[in-house]
Amino acid sequence: MSGAAVPDAGTQAREDDAAALERSRRWLAEAQRLAALGSWEWDVRTGAVLFSDELRAVYRLDRSVTPTFATCLEMVHPDDRPRAERAILAALADGGVFDLDHRVVCGDGAVIWVRARGSVTRGEDGSPLLLVGTAQDVTERVAIEARLQESERRLLEAQRVARLGRWDWDVRSDVVVWSDDMFRIFGIPPAALVPTVEGYLARVHPDDRDELLQMLADVRAGREDYGLEHRVLRADGSVGWVSCRAAVVRDDDGAEVRLHGTATDVTERKLAELAAARATAELAARAEQLRRLAFTDPLTGLANRALFADRLQHALDARPPAGVSVLLVDLDDFKDVNDVLGHQVGDRLLVEVAGRLTRCVRPEDTVARLGGDEFAVVLAEAAHGEQVARRIGAALDTPVRFGDRQLVPTGSIGLARVAGGEPVPADVLLQQADIAMYAAKRAGKGRYEVFDPTMSTAVLARADVENGLRQALDRDELVVHLQPLVDVTARAATRVEALVRWPRPSGLALPADFLPVAERSGLVRTLGQQVLRAACRGLAPWLAADPGRSVAVNVSPVQLREPDFATTVLGILARTGVGPRQLLLEVTETLFLEAGPRVVGQLAELRAAGIRVAIDDFGTGYSSLGRLQDLPVDGVKVDRTFVQQMGAGPGDAAILTAMVTLAHDLGLEVTAEGVETRDQATRLLELGVDHLQGHHLARPVSLDGLDDAVAAAGAAVRAAAGCPGRSGRATVQLVAGEDALGRAVRGALVRAGLAMAGPGEPPDAVVLVTARGEDALARPAALRPAGGAAVLVLCARADRATRARLLAAGADDVVVDPGCPADLADRVRGALRTAAAEAGG
């Protein structure tokens, strides 16, 4: 029987061993490939070096390259070669092993990191026979380690910057380890302290120690993570803040192994938070204070306007069956208290009034101070309105004493009420109370009035005037009429007053009809500018024809309080070509009662530019005649009421005479307005006023009728100057400047019974006024008029020799520093008699 040959047992065993060996080699090669691990051998005696296939792959060597010990060392990176050579030589010398990481320059030039390990096989005599080792590519591991080191470095740096310290407590050995930043937090050098749990607790602020111990107890009891901010005591004695976190590490049985955590220095943040908390508390306190201030009057403690409005609206929204009443209380003449006794007394009076008002109402009612001397009351029951108004009136009527002064703070009360459920807006109800309050003031003050719908008529009329005036100003519809003023010396109208008129459907409205509304609404600023501009523009040719002519324009106190008033006036003059000396501004006397530095400065600037200022309606204000010398004015216009009183009886012109005398003595120009009759004009000429104005002379006219009005006014004055009763008076021609001294002398002569000669009228005497006698030596002969009239020289100072020279030069008399006007007039009459005697002899 034939068949395949059957191997014997020995052959089979050898084949199996060979197969197993092959498998081991393959497994080893695969393991080396997977681990990037190659092996090598170096026969020390023959110098032969064997590389495994994987090592050739790691070093990227071609199979054609036969490695040697020298080539192996050359492949080690130059920077690592000395270290690798020392490790190998040391292993050969002592029979040990070597293990190191170093870089290798591969066959393709790439640089990798390998972990080289090797051991030495020695012969029986101890000499090294064989060096066997491995080389594993650890480039990726080294890169990872480098990144970890960099991360660790950055972490440490971040901890240092963040002042983050780390600690670790081995519970079993009771060993505590601190990082350097832990020592820095406490301000302790690392070498100066062995950290312990007790040492840490000793450096915790006593007030925070229990809380920290509780935290540690909670963590050890099973709480996974815990955080706490507490204070620490630093070595320099200062107190810092740390944010502490802790966690516990346990073994597999759950027993504590260690506690570890961090401590971050948060002193700066904590101090900032504490400062912010304090600031927040302060802001909250200030907010509360502001809230109180926002709704409380700081002087009296009463509700203010805002809280009053809120309470009133709340009361109206509730719609009580009895309705709601509002009372407005305005103290009468309170401004006089401030002006006379001072604001301190005024404030004390307001506090006293607040207390009295509060005692007149129920707790559920509201008393408020709306501002200044104005108070308001909200009554939840309208039926009690008049009863409360009477109660308030009686309470205010009780005297109050401040030191040695006693005041009775009366008030005008306006009452408005709305029936229950009636929908009346709060502002309307308050406006009604305000209207009623002003009605109480007009009715005599110190009383109350209940609002009546008819009271709104006047308010609506004022609103109509304001709206119409605003439109008229926008459209430039106001017109200027002109009334001549006659210079009594020249017997001619050399000045006109610009008077504003408002054309309305009902006719021309006079200033009294709309100026109060213009001042209250602020429209007077625009109105005044338009009037001044229109007057200067229209009169420019008339004024340019004679430098002695001028225009008078009324100015409101409201205008003078504007900071740019003087600049505006001078700008209008410049644009219209009118000289400053041709403008006279008339202001009311009451302006100077409360004129502040701004008003005085405005007037000073205008007068410095040449503009003249006069007090209008003089004698009707509250200042005394003696104050004239302190006021920045150039003249006065006597109110028409004093002119109208002339002829009423004995002494009817006593006050007017005193005004004219005092004004002239102060060097002020005097104008009399309201001249309605020829007799009044004659009497005023006798008193020595400088200008006359009134309907008897000429009525206000438009620019087209100015020439006729000027001529008529001059003729009327000339007629009054020549009327019966003046024919026997001596006439005088005054040669003096238009200054204070000239006006004073002229007034003195007229009041002493002499008359000023009119233009073209030959005088009985000529009076030359000069400051120094020697300045007039060449003038007496030239001044002597035809007919041999007397010439008097009036001078402030002249010695005896100068007087003699003046007499020799042709003067009939020389008067130095005369006394009263009568003495001066007697000297003039004496000179006339002497001249007449000499002419008759």
Side-chain angles (χ1 to χ4, degrees):
M1 177 175 178
S2 61
V6 178
D8 58 22
T11 301
Q12 185 64 45
R14 285 192 296 274
E15 289 178 354
D16 292 341
D17 290 341
L21 180 59
E22 181 61 25
R23 286 195 302 273
S24 297
R25 286 177 179 173
R26 287 198 306 270
W27 291 344
L28 177 60
E30 181 64 16
Q32 289 183 359
R33 186 185 66 79
L34 292 175
L37 176 70
S39 60
W40 52 269
E41 294 180 4
W42 174 35
D43 189 327
V44 178
R45 292 174 300 176
T46 64
V49 175
L50 296 177
F51 278 8
S52 68
D53 291 341
E54 185 57 33
L55 186 59
R56 287 182 177 275
V58 170
Y59 283 175
R60 304 172 193 178
L61 293 177
D62 190 83
R63 287 186 174 278
S64 62
V65 178
T66 301
T68 65
F69 180 74
T71 58
C72 288
L73 286 178
E74 288 178 358
M75 293 177 66
V76 177
H77 194 279
D79 294 342
D80 299 342
R81 193 175 299 154
R83 181 164 56 87
E85 191 172 2
R86 287 194 300 272
I88 294 173
L89 293 177
L92 292 173
D94 58 17
V97 298
F98 65 88
D99 188 345
L100 78 157
D101 292 346
H102 64 82
R103 287 166 290 180
V104 172
V105 180
C106 298
D108 59 1
V111 177
I112 64 172
W113 278 89
V114 297
R115 182 176 185 183
R117 296 179 178 178
S119 63
V120 178
T121 302
R122 297 182 180 276
E124 294 180 356
D125 58 357
S127 61
L129 301 177
L130 189 65
L131 187 62
V132 180
T134 60
Q136 184 179 15
D137 187 347
V138 293
T139 304
E140 185 175 353
R141 190 206 73 195
V142 171
I144 292 173
E145 289 177 351
R147 288 195 295 271
L148 288 174
Q149 290 175 358
E150 176 63 19
S151 297
E152 180 72 11
R153 185 192 66 78
R154 291 181 179 180
L155 176 62
L156 292 175
E157 179 65 17
Q159 290 177 351
R160 185 189 66 80
V161 173
R163 301 178 181 179
L164 175 66
R166 292 176 298 171
W167 56 271
D168 190 282
W169 176 24
D170 190 322
V171 178
R172 295 173 177 175
S173 64
D174 198 26
V175 174
V176 177
V177 177
W178 284 3
S179 68
D180 289 345
D181 284 292
M182 285 292 294
F183 290 97
R184 268 194 294 272
I185 288 173
F186 286 100
I188 303 172
L193 176 70
V194 175
T196 62
V197 174
E198 292 76 11
Y200 184 93
L201 292 174
R203 286 165 174 79
V204 175
H205 194 281
D207 295 343
D208 301 341
R209 202 169 290 156
D210 290 342
E211 190 174 5
L212 177 63
L213 289 172
Q214 183 62 48
M215 179 198 81
L216 293 175
D218 290 344
V219 170
R220 300 179 76 173
R223 186 164 180 173
E224 292 298 326
D225 195 4
Y226 203 102
L228 174 69
E229 291 184 350
H230 64 83
R231 288 164 290 179
V232 295
L233 307 176
R234 290 171 172 161
D236 61 1
S238 62
V239 177
W241 281 86
V242 298
S243 176
C244 182
R245 305 195 68 83
V248 65
V249 178
R250 303 178 185 276
D251 59 16
D252 295 340
D253 297 328
E256 288 183 353
V257 176
R258 62 190 180 93
L259 269 73
H260 65 100
T262 60
T264 306
D265 188 345
V266 294
T267 303
E268 292 183 3
R269 174 178 63 79
K270 197 66 178 179
L271 292 178
E273 289 177 354
L274 293 174
R278 286 193 298 270
T280 301
E282 291 176 1
L283 287 175
R286 291 182 182 178
E288 176 61 23
Q289 183 181 12
L290 289 175
R291 190 194 67 79
R292 290 196 302 270
L293 291 176
F295 296 105
T296 306
D297 176 56
L299 176 63
T300 63
L302 297 177
N304 64 4
R305 183 180 292 273
L307 183 56
F308 171 81
D310 180 75
R311 296 281 178 84
L312 175 57
Q313 189 61 54
H314 180 75
L316 292 173
D317 292 341
R319 296 190 176 185
V324 177
S325 286
V326 171
L327 295 93
L328 277 187
V329 183
D330 190 85
L331 299 185
D332 298 326
D333 304 318
F334 179 73
K335 183 177 181 299
D336 294 343
V337 176
N338 280 336
D339 291 344
V340 176
L341 302 180
H343 288 276
Q344 185 176 5
V345 173
D347 288 349
R348 292 173 60 190
L349 180 60
L350 292 174
V351 173
E352 175 64 24
V353 169
R356 295 184 181 187
L357 294 179
T358 303
R359 292 189 290 271
C360 291
V361 300
R362 301 169 304 171
E364 58 266 31
D365 299 324
T366 299
V367 180
R369 179 183 176 219
L370 302 186
D373 58 349
E374 190 175 37
F375 297 84
V377 180
V378 177
L379 300 178
E381 294 186 11
H384 299 292
E386 291 193 59
Q387 180 182 349
V388 173
R390 288 191 292 269
R391 192 182 304 150
I392 290 175
L396 293 180
D397 200 39
T398 303
V400 56
R401 181 172 293 279
F402 295 109
D404 58 348
R405 294 183 179 273
Q406 180 174 287
L407 300 176
V408 180
T410 63
S412 298
I413 305 171
L415 169 61
R417 51 197 174 196
V418 57
E422 185 179 351
V424 176
D427 57 340
V428 172
L429 189 62
L430 189 61
Q431 183 184 38
Q432 292 174 353
D434 188 62
I435 293 173
M437 183 267 291
Y438 277 104
K441 283 192 177 294
R442 288 192 296 271
K445 303 180 181 179
R447 54 181 291 141
Y448 78 89
E449 290 287 343
V450 181
F451 173 77
D452 186 272
T454 58
M455 294 179 179
S456 298
T457 304
V459 176
L460 293 175
R462 287 195 296 270
D464 177 66
V465 170
E466 180 178 340
N467 293 333
L469 183 59
R470 194 179 302 275
Q471 292 179 6
L473 290 172
D474 291 341
R475 300 168 183 170
D476 200 13
E477 294 176 347
L478 300 184
V479 297
V480 174
H481 283 192
L482 307 165
Q483 186 173 29
L485 283 78
V486 177
D487 184 332
V488 300
T489 300
R491 301 287 196 270
T494 59
R495 179 181 300 163
V496 294
E497 181 177 4
L499 302 170
V500 63
R501 299 290 186 264
W502 178 15
R504 305 203 76 185
S506 57
L508 284 179
L510 300 179
D513 300 327
F514 57 85
L515 272 183
V517 175
E519 290 184 333
R520 187 166 53 249
S521 63
L523 294 174
V524 71
R525 173 186 171 97
T526 303
L527 186 151
Q529 292 180 13
Q530 287 190 8
V531 170
L532 179 60
R533 189 181 300 110
C536 291
R537 185 186 299 120
L539 287 171
W542 184 77
L543 294 171
D546 185 352
R549 292 174 176 174
S550 59
V551 57
V553 179
N554 290 280
V555 176
S556 166
V558 177
Q559 291 176 265
L560 274 168
R561 295 189 185 101
E562 294 292 335
D564 61 344
F565 174 73
T567 303
T568 300
V569 170
L570 295 174
I572 291 174
L573 293 182
R575 287 189 292 273
T576 57
V578 175
R581 292 199 60 80
Q582 292 185 295
L583 175 63
L584 175 72
L585 298 179
E586 295 184 357
V587 299
T588 60
E589 183 181 0
T590 54
L591 168 71
F592 297 102
L593 289 178
E594 51 186 18
R598 174 177 294 175
V599 172
V600 175
Q602 300 262 32
L603 292 176
E605 182 179 353
L606 292 170
R607 294 182 72 208
I611 296 173
R612 287 171 289 175
V613 178
I615 299 178
D616 193 14
D617 300 328
F618 183 71
T620 61
Y622 298 97
S623 62
S624 64
L625 295 176
R627 287 199 63 203
L628 274 178
Q629 60 183 343
D630 301 323
L631 302 181
V633 296
D634 303 282
V636 296
K637 177 182 280 189
V638 178
D639 187 69
R640 65 180 63 246
T641 56
F642 297 100
V643 175
Q644 301 304 319
Q645 291 172 1
M646 292 192 306
D652 53 6
I655 296 178
L656 183 57
T657 302
M659 289 182 181
V660 175
T661 301
L662 179 60
H664 280 156
D665 288 346
L666 296 175
L668 300 178
E669 185 180 77
V670 180
T671 299
E673 65 176 340
V675 181
E676 304 294 342
T677 66
R678 179 171 175 175
D679 182 61
Q680 290 173 352
T682 301
R683 294 284 301 277
L684 291 168
L685 289 172
E686 292 172 351
L687 288 178
V689 299
D690 302 290
H691 288 87
L692 296 179
Q693 179 183 6
H695 287 178
H696 173 67
L697 310 181
R699 291 180 176 273
V701 296
S702 63
L703 183 61
D704 294 338
L706 179 61
D707 291 339
D708 292 339
V710 166
V717 171
R718 289 193 293 274
C723 69
R726 290 178 55 89
S727 57
R729 301 177 69 181
T731 59
V732 177
Q733 178 184 350
L734 186 64
V735 181
E738 282 299 318
D739 54 11
L741 179 59
R743 288 192 293 268
V745 171
R746 190 182 64 80
L749 292 174
V750 172
R751 290 193 303 275
L754 301 176
M756 294 292 107
E761 178 184 351
D764 296 316
V766 177
V767 177
L768 171 62
V769 181
T770 181
R772 301 189 313 163
E774 53 266 30
D775 294 338
L777 289 174
R779 303 187 66 184
L783 291 174
R784 186 177 300 279
V791 175
L792 249 73
V793 178
L794 173 62
C795 52
R797 59 181 181 274
D799 56 21
R800 184 175 299 176
T802 302
R803 293 175 60 188
R805 294 172 63 190
L806 286 168
L807 292 172
D812 294 288
D813 195 1
V814 178
V815 182
V816 180
D817 191 16
C820 65
D823 293 339
L824 177 59
D826 287 343
R827 297 288 288 271
V828 174
R829 293 190 183 94
L832 289 174
R833 288 193 296 271
T834 301
E838 291 176 354

